[in-house]
Amino acid sequence: MLCEPPPDCGTNPTLPPVGDHLVIKTGQAQHGLAQWVVGVWDKCSTDCGTGTQSRSVVCSSGHDEDCTDAKPANSQKCDDYMGCQYAAGEWGECSARCGAGTRSRKVNCAGARCMGPKPAETEPCTHNDKECTECEVVVYGGPSFDGWSLSFGPGDYTVSDMEVKGAKCDDVSSLKVNGLFCEAHVFEYGDFNVQHKGWQAVFKHGQYDRQGLLTGGAKDNDISSMKVKQTMPSGFNATGMNMPKTGGFDISNPLGENPFSKDNPFANPMNSSWENGRPWSGAWQVSVVGVAAAFFIRL
């Protein structure tokens, strides 16, 4: 059965046309659903300090005017310190002129904050120049630092020792002492002023002309005998390295004395003659035999 519509139904002025009503509602729905779509933040513009980063911000409808809410920021400040590195300068000189010391350097952070442990600003060091370990005395005759010259290592040199080497005691004009721990003890009369009292002078690392010798106490250019001593400080051995200490004393030098000195009873128990700072091997042999004999006699 077909029902007919009531008369003038389609032209009722109190109701809008069906087609127009749907268009309006559809437009309102589209405007209400539009919203901002934001992307993820890009990487910070710097990896050491404060920079900026950005992201995309678009309206879902494709038209910014369709999104009625305030538009979110598409850029902002950012902090990143993962790339901050420490900058270390060159090491400075060792604090010790000879032996063990320390040296330092500047270490700065390239940014406001560096990640990871800070590199060391100080470290142990060892300074071992030739001047630290050598000991040589050069005696010159004639013009200062010219003419004949003779070199002497650590040891005691009597009048005869000096003459054998060719030194003319009354013609010494200048002197060189090479080594920071080297000393030249010079004497006026005979063997170390034993027979007659006279002047005695000590000269350390450096050069001494006629005036320097006179100022230092050596008079009239007359050096009859000499002792050359290597006076290394306790704990500093011939290699320039500080030795470890055990039991409260230095195992490299238990008496704290010059190991090359004649006056060290452990180095020269028989008080024997020395050549270049070392005792005759025969003296050592005699001392060992004597100790062994005393031991058997006591038994």
Side-chain angles (χ1 to χ4, degrees), residues 63 84 106 125 159 169-170 237 256:
H63 303 282
C84 294
K106 291 184 177 180
C125 61
V159 174
C169 65
D170 57 351
N237 67 6

Side-chain angles (χ1 to χ4, degrees), residues 71-152:
K71 184 177 181 179
N74 62 356
S75 66
Q76 68 177 5
K77 289 184 178 181
C78 56
D79 295 321
D80 191 349
Y81 301 99
M82 295 303 296
C84 294
Q85 301 292 329
Y86 286 102
E90 296 292 331
W91 287 108
E93 294 184 359
C94 193
S95 62
R97 191 172 184 183
C98 294
T102 57
R103 62 178 184 172
S104 60
R105 64 180 177 180
K106 291 184 177 180
V107 178
N108 298 315
C109 181
R113 182 171 63 218
C114 284
M115 310 300 289
K118 185 177 182 180
E121 295 181 281
T122 61
E123 71 172 6
C125 61
T126 299
H127 199 213
N128 187 22
D129 285 348
K130 180 181 178 182
E131 292 180 340
C132 298
T133 57
E134 70 174 341
C135 185
E136 178 191 43
V137 175
V138 183
V139 177
Y140 296 87
S144 294
F145 310 111
D146 202 354
W148 59 264
S149 64
L150 295 170
S151 177
F152 298 84

Side-chain angles (χ1 to χ4, degrees), residues 5 10-11 17 69 74 77 128 154-155 175 192 204 221 243 248 291:
T11 59
D69 295 335
N74 62 356
K77 289 184 178 181
N128 187 22
L175 188 73
F192 321 118
K204 298 185 178 182
N221 302 327
M243 296 292 291
V291 171

